[in-house]
């Protein structure tokens, strides 16, 4: 069925159009401009063609940052998705516990991201931070500012604390939409708790989980603020994920050309994965 | 006043949802669109209302070409299967809503709403909200809202499908009376043949996007143009079998059973259709023929008995008045009223005219 | 398989109850024999689904007990009761094939592969699902999916009772008829206790040997379809069963004489006197005939349903509906009618006076 078409509706779109143009479209075009040229400041440009792209794609530094990023995102997804589903399964569906749980779960999501980084920075300090001090007290040799392993551990822990709630809330919504008759039928069929989860809950949460994975992938792949405030990319560059490395190049070294090229490559990787996900989601929709 | 569809076709991509259809609906008629789900009834109604545009063809209302005219400009109302009402409005406000939007003054609104509410027995509920009402009352509210507008075209899309059996019966009885004094064209979509028969008026049988036959309901029922129309308009389903006619004898294909007939058609192979209530456990009609059957299933429904029986390769159903207790596996005698046989040729067209 | 008894069952969804309306079920007592086909029939909100869920163990009753073979199982879970339930919409495991769906209950109970295979094949054949066994269950139509739900209940040989909660709600009308007959055929073949909940009298009366009619949480009458039809004990049963339902007309009883519309009426039993506040005559449309003398009526409308004619008439005592064969001649304007004495009943305060 077609909705009636009202051309006057385009007028509503103009303010948004202007906003997006200034905040996204024009800066993006600027970046594209920079990526094909060499600049020495003062608006002096020299055409370089695809030199920066080739340089980035072949550079070891980029490969290393990309590798760290992929590893980070992979670990994050591996931990947060099952953990989120697990917590959602234990949350009550009726009664006073519902609002209490929902509020508790929402709280980490409401904290500004640089505050999260700062909180964990202090929390993990080996001498005065609660986490750092306790771990050292238990016999672990823990120092996230000097040991890469500890830095990774702390960064991942921080992200899990910060973002698992999103997966929890999405999974909870998905679980709540399952009609009781399915659980009743499973009970009558004598299904174990695991079988009920595998054959009823998980399939019915497919849509919601695809969304959760997509959102967590995008956010963790583009992560900047929290690890930057926590570790600054250190020790050395062991926690310099793609965005942190990119900013170092652009603002620290003022290599605008390569940085712009890296920006675009970064953008396209994210776009590619999202496109794959989108097609997967559409295929699922068509099947059901 | 009339609504005419001229070769209206609806395609979505490569799928044809409505094949080229030409229909003329006259004023003061109730027109039933009868067909199974996905036959195209809703699509056709939406095109009639202007909610959807046909891919090709024209729609004329009162000698005016209204193809492509937006639904807000056409004077029509629609009632849906799900009881659609504004949840935040009271029943009074719901019924008044089409009048309030067009700026009718409040005295006239009060008078018109009162009249329609009384017609639909809602006068006592005017201050309630839809979620305080029962299903039947909610649907009456939706009906009242459609009627208060005094539209030229009222479309009802399976309005009784979500109601309890008894409520459906009651409302179905009231419907023709509601439309008696109005100068409008009513279109009623349903999957139940009994709805069409109880409402009367005209019926169009639909299957997979095609209008098979359109005419007075009883004519379409008693004289289906082809086998498809007969099948759509039968509940319980029509019994069908292949036969060979030779002179005055008809013989079932692949079976020994034969009978004498005086029907005036050429010799050859045909398909016969007979509705279950023309096969009974007692003799009916002047040309009744006896057949032996082995009982497969026996269903009693208070005043009627449905017996599923077999005879060789024949697998048919009989519907008799009264209670006929039969056990599964029993051999029983049944009588077929051959006057009611419908003969269809190899192209599935009706060949005998009574 | 088991004999099922319900003793003094009452249930309320509220914590505290102050009046009758707060109870979903009130003092229900039923005895169901082993292997029978039973139906719970009533309008929406009468308590039939509540009753079904209490029998299956999905709901614990506020008061009263449920017994299987005289053993109190009120505290048992559904698994422990060995029941199977088919819901209003098909409940299947989307990710499994049809075969795995049917095998699931047996796998959970630890049967061997070969036992499972033979059982699944047997049930698939009974339900005509054999050709789809290797397909994904989510790809089947609604009626196919309901058959899978049914199959999961049938594969288990230890099932005491199979419960159906309005199972044909989402099925297309022309498939409804086929599936309904299939259920009846199944019951006649395997003789397991089946309880079928519905608001559709055709489904209830054709399927069940014994029908329990419910109204506002109470059982109004329990009997065979024939008993309920021929002798309703309560005016609600008379109205609810039969299409159209029983004519309920006000009458006066004085000195053993029944007066209606200025005429003396003979009922199936002579009534001496009545101490009731409200007395009514109940007579089904099927048991009224036109005659030369009797109650004067005006013919209002004649509907032709193909196999019957339903005549709406108006008498001085109220509206009277008559049901006759479609071939019968109907007078027009005014006429006289008589009631078949054998089926004329008198009701005092809604209950039959015997």
């Amino acid at each position: 069925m077609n909705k009636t078409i009202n051309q006057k509706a385009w007028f509503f779109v103009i303010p948004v159009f202007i906003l997006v143009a200034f905040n996204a479209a024009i800066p993006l075009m600027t970046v594209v401009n920079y990526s094909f040229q060499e600049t020495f400041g003062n608006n002096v440009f020299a055409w370089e063609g695809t030199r920066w792209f080739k340089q980035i794609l072949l550079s070891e530094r980029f490969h290393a940052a990309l590798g760290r990023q992929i590893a980070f995102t992979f670990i994050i997804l591996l931990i947060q998705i099952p953990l989120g589903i697990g917590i959602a399964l234990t949350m009550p569906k009726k009664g006073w516990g519902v609002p209490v749980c929902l509020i508790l779960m929402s709280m980490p999501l409401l904290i500004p991201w640089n505050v999260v980084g700062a909180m964990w920075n202090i929390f993990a300090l080996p001498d005065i931070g609660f986490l750092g001090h306790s771990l050292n007290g238990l016999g672990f040799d823990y120092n996230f500012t000097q040991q890469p392993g500890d830095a990774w551990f702390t960064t991942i822990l921080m992200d899990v604390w910060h973002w698992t709630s999103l997966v929890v809330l999405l999974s909870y919504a998905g679980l709540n939409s399952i009609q009781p008759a399915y659980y009743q039928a499973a009970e009558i069929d004598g299904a174990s708790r695991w079988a009920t989860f595998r054959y009823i809950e998980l399939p019915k949460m497919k849509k919601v989980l695809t969304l959760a994975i997509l959102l967590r992938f995008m956010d963790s792949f583009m992560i900047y603020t929290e690890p930057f405030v926590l570790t600054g990319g250190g020790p050395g560059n062991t926690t310099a994920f793609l965005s942190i490395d990119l900013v170092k190049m652009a603002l620290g070294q003022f290599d605008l050309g390569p940085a712009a090229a890296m920006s675009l490559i970064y953008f396209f990787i994210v776009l590619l994965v999202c496109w794959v996900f989108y097609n997967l989601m559409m295929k699922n929709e068509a099947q059901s | 006043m009339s609504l005419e569809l001229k070769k209206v076709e609806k395609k979505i991509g490569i799928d044809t949802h409505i094949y080229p259809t030409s229909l003329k609906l006259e004023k003061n008629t109730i027109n039933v669109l009868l067909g199974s789900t996905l036959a195209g009834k809703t699509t056709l109604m939406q095109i009639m209302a202007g909610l959807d545009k046909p891919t090709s063809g024209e729609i004329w209302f009162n000698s005016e070409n209204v193809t492509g005219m937006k639904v807000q400009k056409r004077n029509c109302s629609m009632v849906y299967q799900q009881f659609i009402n504004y949840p935040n409005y009271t029943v009074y406000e719901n019924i008044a809503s089409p009048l309030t939007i067009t700026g009718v003054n409040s005295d006239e609104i009060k008078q018109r709403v009162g009249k329609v509410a009384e017609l639909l027995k809602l006068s006592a509920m005017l201050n309630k909200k839809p979620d305080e009402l029962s299903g039947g009352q909610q649907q009456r509210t939706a009906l009242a809202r459609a009627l208060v507008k005094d539209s030229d075209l009222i479309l009802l899309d399976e309005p009784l499908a979500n109601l309890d059996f008894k409520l459906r019966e009651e409302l179905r009885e009231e419907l023709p009376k509601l439309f008696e004094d109005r100068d409008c064209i009513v279109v009623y979509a349903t999957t139940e043949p009994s709805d069409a028969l109880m409402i009367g008026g005209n019926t169009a049988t639909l299957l997979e996007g095609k209008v098979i036959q359109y005419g007075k309901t009883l004519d379409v029922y008693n004289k289906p143009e082809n086998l498809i129309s007969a099948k759509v308009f039968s509940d319980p389903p029509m019994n069908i079998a292949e036969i060979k006619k030779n002179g005055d004898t008809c013989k079932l294909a692949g079976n020994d059973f034969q009978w004498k007939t005086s029907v005036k058609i050429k010799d050859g192979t045909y398909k016969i259709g007979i509705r279950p209530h023309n096969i009974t456990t007692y003799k009916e009609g002047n040309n009744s023929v006896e057949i032996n059957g082995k009982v497969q299933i026996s269903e009693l429904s208070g005043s009627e008995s449905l017996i599923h029986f077999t005879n060789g390769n024949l697998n048919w159903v009989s519907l008799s008045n009264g209670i006929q207790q039969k056990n599964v596996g029993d051999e029983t005698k049944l009588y077929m009223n051959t006057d009611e046989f419908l003969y269809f040729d190899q192209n599935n067209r009706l060949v005998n005219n009574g | 398989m088991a004999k099922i008894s319900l003793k003094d069952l009452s249930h309320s969804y509220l914590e505290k109850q102050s009046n009758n309306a707060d109870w979903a079920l009130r003092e229900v007592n039923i005895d169901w024999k082993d292997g029978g086909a039973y139906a719970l029939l009533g309008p929406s909100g009468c308590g039939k689904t509540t009753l079904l869920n209490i029998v299956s163990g999905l709901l614990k009753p506020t008061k009263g007990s449920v017994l299987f073979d005289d053993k109190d199982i009120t505290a048992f879970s559904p698994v422990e009761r060995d029941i199977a339930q088919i819901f209003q919409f098909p409940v299947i495991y989307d990710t499994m094939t049809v075969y795995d769906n049917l095998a699931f209950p047996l796998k959970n109970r630890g049967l061997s592969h070969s036992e499972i295979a033979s059982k699944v094949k047997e049930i698939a054949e009974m339900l005509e699902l054999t050709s789809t066994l290797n397909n994904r269950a989510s790809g089947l139509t609604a009626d196919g999916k309901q058959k899978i739900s049914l199959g999961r209940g049938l594969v288990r040989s230890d099932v005491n009772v199979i419960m159906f909660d309005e199972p044909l709600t989402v099925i297309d009308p022309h498939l409804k008829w086929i599936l309904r007959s299939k259920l009846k055929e199944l019951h006649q073949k395997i003789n397991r206790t089946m309880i079928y909940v519905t608001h559709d009298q055709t489904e209830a009366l054709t399927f069940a040997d014994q029908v329990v009619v419910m109204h506002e949480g109470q059982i109004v009458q329990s009997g065979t379809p024939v008993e309920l039809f021929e002798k309703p004990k309560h005016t609600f049963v008379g109205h609810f069963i039969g299409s159209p339902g029983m004519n309920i007309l006000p009458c006066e009883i004085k000195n053993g004489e029944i007066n209606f519309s200025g005429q003396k009426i003979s009922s199936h039993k002579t009534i001496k006197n009545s101490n009731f506040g409200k007395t009514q005559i109940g007579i089904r449309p099927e048991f009224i005939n036109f005659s030369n003398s009797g109650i004067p009526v005006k013919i209002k409308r004649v509907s032709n349903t193909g196999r019957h004619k339903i005549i709406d008439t108006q008498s001085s005592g109220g509206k009277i509906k008559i049901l006759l064969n479609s071939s019968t001649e109907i007078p027009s304007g005014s006429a006289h009618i008589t009631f078949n004495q054998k089926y004329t009943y008198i009701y005092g305060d809604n209950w039959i006076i015997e």
Side-chain angles (χ1 to χ4, degrees):
Chain A
M1 193 193 106
N2 299 320
K3 296 201 185 118
T4 47
I5 299 176
N6 189 347
Q7 306 290 16
K8 297 195 211 113
W10 286 109
F11 284 112
F12 281 109
V13 179
I14 287 181
V16 176
F17 211 62
I18 296 173
L19 220 72
V20 170
F22 268 107
N23 288 334
I26 293 174
L28 184 65
M29 291 191 314
T30 315
V31 170
V32 173
N33 195 17
Y34 275 117
S35 70
F36 285 110
Q37 309 195 73
E38 167 80 80
T39 176
F40 300 101
N42 290 332
N43 269 330
V44 177
F45 291 100
W47 181 259
E48 294 285 351
T50 55
R51 176 178 160 204
W52 301 131
F53 289 97
K54 283 201 199 109
Q55 182 179 311
I56 293 292
L57 285 171
L58 297 172
S59 84
E60 256 199 59
R61 178 176 165 181
F62 176 71
H63 293 163
L66 186 61
R68 274 178 239 126
Q69 182 68 74
I70 292 177
F72 178 70
T73 300
F74 182 70
I75 297 174
I76 286 300
L77 286 177
L78 202 65
I79 297 177
Q80 289 184 1
I81 303 296
L83 184 61
I85 299 175
I87 296 176
L89 285 172
T90 61
M91 279 168 66
K93 292 204 177 132
K94 288 197 282 218
W96 57 266
V98 174
V100 170
C101 283
L102 289 176
I103 292 173
L104 276 175
M105 284 295 120
S106 312
M107 284 187 355
L109 298 169
L110 299 171
I111 303 177
W113 299 358
N114 56 349
V115 175
V116 172
M119 266 169 60
W120 279 82
N121 190 314
I122 299 170
F123 187 55
L125 283 176
D127 42 0
I128 56 167
F130 184 76
L131 178 70
H133 189 78
S134 319
L135 282 177
N136 280 314
L138 286 171
F140 296 101
D141 178 22
Y142 173 78
N143 192 328
F144 75 94
T145 52
Q146 290 177 350
Q147 277 145 232
D150 294 339
W152 269 79
F153 168 73
T154 318
T155 314
I156 290 172
L157 195 62
M158 171 184 68
D159 196 274
V160 166
W161 176 87
H162 190 191
W163 287 109
T164 308
S165 305
L166 184 65
V167 184
V168 171
L169 290 174
L170 283 171
S171 306
Y172 183 71
L175 279 174
N176 265 356
S177 67
I178 301 177
Q179 286 132 321
Y182 284 93
Y183 290 107
Q184 291 167 353
E187 209 186 325
I188 291 170
D189 283 341
S192 63
R193 184 74 191 86
W194 166 249
T196 310
F197 173 71
R198 182 171 161 207
Y199 295 116
I200 294 179
E201 291 174 319
L202 207 55
K204 296 225 170 278
M205 288 203 296
K206 204 159 57 162
K207 272 195 203 143
V208 146
L209 283 182
T210 313
L211 199 66
I213 295 173
L214 180 64
L215 287 176
R216 284 313 303 132
F217 165 79
M218 269 167 53
D219 282 344
S220 68
F221 203 75
M222 300 191 293
I223 198 167
Y224 177 76
T225 318
E226 298 106 300
F228 184 73
V229 177
L230 179 66
T231 62
N237 60 356
T238 47
T239 57
F241 303 121
L242 266 178
S243 51
I244 295 178
D245 196 49
L246 173 61
V247 173
K248 264 201 203 149
M249 194 190 296
L251 299 182
Q253 297 159 231
F254 210 66
D255 277 339
L256 290 177
M262 184 166 155
S263 231
L264 288 175
I265 296 172
Y266 199 170
F267 179 54
F268 281 122
I269 297 177
V270 175
L271 213 62
L272 181 72
V273 177
C274 289
W275 182 80
V276 168
F277 255 104
Y278 176 76
N279 280 326
L280 223 92
M281 272 168 72
M282 286 299 114
K283 202 172 89 168
N284 279 336
E285 281 271 334
Q287 256 178 16
S288 57
Chain B
M1 186 204 295
S2 67
L3 175 72
E4 191 167 354
L5 299 174
K6 293 188 181 162
K7 296 214 185 85
V8 163
E9 188 186 15
K10 179 76 190 171
K11 273 193 163 126
I12 298 191
I14 48 165
D15 294 321
T16 308
H17 285 220
I18 304 279
Y19 287 88
T21 302
S22 298
L23 268 181
K24 189 157 186 208
L25 307 176
E26 303 286 351
K27 149 177 123 158
N28 262 332
T29 53
I30 302 187
N31 303 283
V32 178
L33 296 179
L34 177 66
S36 63
T37 345
L38 300 179
K41 311 186 292 291
T42 306
T43 316
L44 199 57
M45 282 177 58
Q46 285 179 341
I47 293 177
M48 285 180 190
L51 287 164
D52 202 359
K53 273 206 290 247
T55 325
S56 66
E58 292 174 345
I59 304 163
W60 287 72
F61 188 74
N62 274 348
S63 335
E64 193 192 332
N65 189 340
V66 297
T67 323
M69 192 191 275
K70 283 184 285 217
V71 62
Q72 289 92 337
K73 293 232 166 72
R74 303 211 207 166
N75 194 2
C76 72
S77 0
M78 199 151 170
V79 180
Y80 299 88
Q81 188 177 335
Q82 307 90 343
F83 326 130
I84 307 235
N85 290 310
Y86 296 107
N88 299 334
Y89 286 173
T90 60
V91 169
Y92 180 90
E93 286 161 350
N94 257 292
I95 302 176
S97 58
L99 301 176
T100 335
I101 290 181
T102 49
V104 175
N105 76 65
S106 54
D107 282 330
E108 197 184 328
I109 292 185
K110 204 162 167 191
Q111 193 219 30
R112 282 164 79 167
V113 171
K115 208 164 116 196
V116 163
E118 172 132 14
L119 202 58
L120 282 156
K121 304 193 192 145
L122 288 170
S123 308
M125 328 267 171
L126 288 172
N127 288 323
K128 295 215 172 127
K129 292 243 173 80
D131 60 2
E132 297 172 54
L133 304 173
S134 72
Q137 290 162 337
Q138 287 180 31
Q139 194 61 313
R140 282 168 191 269
T141 309
L143 265 168
R145 200 168 69 245
L147 288 175
V148 83
K149 214 168 137 183
D150 271 339
S151 344
D152 296 324
L153 179 64
I154 302 186
L155 302 156
L156 303 134
D157 195 354
E158 297 193 58
L160 310 179
N162 282 357
L163 294 174
D164 271 1
F165 190 88
K166 266 292 153 181
L167 279 176
R168 198 187 303 161
E169 233 183 41
E170 281 170 16
L171 214 50
R172 187 175 61 192
E173 211 189 297
E174 290 177 38
L175 276 175
K177 297 185 203 151
L178 290 175
F179 300 119
E180 245 164 32
D181 299 323
R182 286 158 190 273
D183 273 346
C184 60
I185 300 171
V186 179
V187 182
Y188 180 101
T190 180
T191 50
E192 308 265 353
S194 49
D195 275 1
L197 288 165
M198 286 298 292
I199 288 177
N202 301 322
T203 297
T205 45
L206 275 94
L207 183 70
E208 291 169 6
K210 294 197 194 95
V211 171
I212 314 287
Q213 186 173 354
Y214 174 67
K216 282 209 169 54
T217 304
L218 273 180
D219 284 344
V220 177
Y221 181 78
N222 287 323
K223 294 195 180 63
E225 269 166 16
N226 56 39
L227 189 55
I228 302 171
S229 192
K231 274 206 228 178
V232 168
F233 210 154
S234 282
D235 188 32
M238 188 173 254
N239 295 309
I240 298 173
E242 282 222 4
I243 59 140
K244 254 203 180 75
K245 177 179 181 285
N246 208 337
D248 65 349
T249 314
C250 280
K251 185 167 155 335
L252 277 175
N255 195 308
D256 287 330
F257 185 70
Q258 57 189 38
W259 66 95
K260 291 261 180 288
T261 177
S262 57
V263 68
K264 292 182 177 47
I265 51 176
K266 284 200 281 250
D267 286 359
T269 33
Y270 294 93
K271 285 205 191 97
I272 49 163
I274 182 160
R275 292 200 164 94
H277 66 272
N278 292 125
I279 306 180
T280 47
T281 52
Y282 39 82
K283 263 200 194 157
E284 249 190 6
N286 296 326
N287 288 315
S288 155
V289 153
E290 198 184 286
I291 181 172
N292 284 328
K294 190 164 171 195
V295 178
Q296 295 296 315
I297 311 174
S298 164
E299 299 177 292
L300 299 176
S301 79
S303 60
E304 295 179 320
S305 313
L306 271 161
I307 300 171
H308 302 237
F309 66 94
T310 53
N311 177 312
N313 63 351
L314 198 65
N315 209 331
W316 274 5
V317 180
S318 86
L319 179 59
S320 317
N321 280 335
I323 290 84
Q324 320 281 340
Q325 290 276 22
K326 300 274 175 219
N327 293 319
V328 176
D330 276 359
E331 293 282 347
T332 182
K333 276 201 198 359
L334 295 151
Y335 298 90
M336 306 196 289
N337 188 347
T338 59
D339 282 340
E340 300 292 333
F341 274 159
L342 295 165
Y343 294 81
F344 300 96
D345 65 17
Q346 297 298 78
N347 292 324
N348 287 335
R349 269 202 308 265
L350 187 71
V351 284
N352 76 325
N353 279 322
Chain C
M1 295 225 283
K3 176 179 113 182
I4 302 175
S5 306
L6 304 176
K7 293 220 181 319
D8 296 325
L9 218 49
S10 297
H11 188 77
S12 171
Y13 289 105
L14 305 170
E15 299 251 321
K16 286 212 187 88
Q17 304 85 20
S18 47
N19 56 33
N20 279 341
D22 292 338
W23 290 93
L25 283 177
R26 281 183 283 149
E27 278 138 52
V28 167
N29 282 288
I30 299 181
D31 275 309
W32 278 319
K33 281 199 287 275
D34 199 1
Y38 303 104
L40 287 173
L41 176 65
S44 296
C46 71
K48 50 195 196 295
T49 302
T50 308
L51 187 57
L52 195 74
N53 286 336
I54 289 178
V55 177
S56 62
L58 293 168
L59 197 59
K60 294 270 176 296
T62 317
K63 280 195 220 164
S65 50
V66 181
L67 296 100
F68 280 15
D69 280 335
D70 298 319
K71 188 167 138 193
D72 190 333
I73 48 108
T74 319
F76 282 30
S77 71
V79 186
E80 290 163 333
R81 296 187 195 199
D82 285 328
I83 54 111
Q85 186 155 334
I86 289 101
F87 300 87
Q88 270 183 10
F89 56 91
V91 174
I92 54 158
Y93 302 104
D94 295 315
T95 51
M96 298 190 205
T97 60
V98 175
Y99 182 93
D100 289 329
N101 257 280
L102 294 173
F104 192 63
L106 300 177
K107 246 197 262 181
N108 290 329
R109 285 168 170 82
L111 269 71
S112 74
H113 274 295
S114 51
E115 280 175 314
I116 295 179
S118 74
K119 254 298 163 169
V120 170
K121 286 208 177 73
E122 185 193 328
I123 300 301
E125 226 190 281
M126 227 192 270
L127 294 168
E128 289 162 19
L129 288 170
T130 322
S131 55
T132 57
L133 275 177
N134 291 322
N135 299 354
R136 280 194 84 170
S138 52
L140 268 66
T141 52
D143 63 309
K145 288 184 186 170
Q146 273 298 43
K147 282 200 215 167
I148 298 178
S149 295
L150 178 57
R152 279 207 317 276
L154 292 172
V155 279
R156 294 157 44 200
S157 38
D158 57 349
V159 164
N160 279 325
V161 55
I162 305 180
M163 332 255 254
F164 299 86
D165 190 357
E166 304 197 45
L168 304 181
T169 309
V170 296
I171 313 288
D172 267 356
H174 63 289
L175 289 172
K176 230 191 254 225
W177 197 85
I178 299 176
L179 203 53
R180 211 188 69 213
S181 308
K182 185 117 218 116
L183 287 176
K184 178 80 181 176
E185 189 185 346
L186 259 172
H187 180 261
Q188 285 174 342
K189 240 192 243 177
I190 64 175
N191 273 318
R192 297 242 194 113
T193 316
M194 291 188 184
I195 305 177
Y196 191 106
V197 164
T198 179
H199 62 77
D200 186 322
Q201 49 173 294
T202 320
E203 285 175 29
L205 297 176
T206 51
F207 174 79
D209 306 321
Q210 280 264 343
V211 178
V212 174
V213 180
M214 294 185 65
H215 182 52
E216 288 174 356
Q218 285 188 306
I219 295 183
V220 185
Q221 185 173 352
S222 173
T224 64
V226 177
E227 283 168 18
L228 292 172
F229 185 81
E230 289 187 347
K231 198 168 182 189
K233 295 214 178 101
H234 189 281
T235 50
F236 177 76
V237 179
H239 152 77
F240 198 75
I241 294 194
S243 182
M246 189 181 242
N247 292 303
I248 311 279
L249 306 159
C251 67
E252 262 186 22
I253 303 185
K254 257 194 203 139
N255 303 322
E257 276 191 6
I258 306 163
N259 286 307
F260 170 73
S261 186
Q263 300 269 331
K264 210 169 77 164
I265 307 290
S266 329
S267 73
H268 87 294
K269 266 216 168 85
T270 43
I271 313 284
K272 295 225 177 70
N273 269 309
S274 114
N275 299 321
F276 296 100
K278 178 169 76 172
T279 47
Q280 291 161 310
I281 297 180
I283 178 84
R284 285 201 181 278
E286 290 87 342
F287 300 128
I288 303 178
N289 278 302
F290 286 107
S291 74
N292 293 322
S293 63
I295 302 163
V297 294
K298 279 206 179 68
I299 314 274
K300 288 277 163 178
R301 189 185 141 109
V302 179
S303 311
N304 193 329
T305 67
R307 58 180 189 262
H308 295 132
K309 280 200 182 125
I310 299 178
I311 305 111
D312 291 312
T313 67
Q314 182 76 39
S315 73
S316 59
K319 291 200 186 109
I320 305 181
K321 274 194 204 289
I322 307 171
L323 189 103
L324 294 168
N325 239 335
S326 54
S327 47
T328 320
E329 283 287 326
I330 314 290
S332 59
S334 315
H336 294 268
I337 58 170
T338 51
F339 299 162
N340 183 331
Q341 181 183 350
K342 186 169 163 215
Y343 296 106
T344 309
Y345 303 106
I346 308 296
Y347 294 89
D349 288 336
N350 290 326
W351 289 95
I352 195 171
I353 303 179
E354 302 249 46

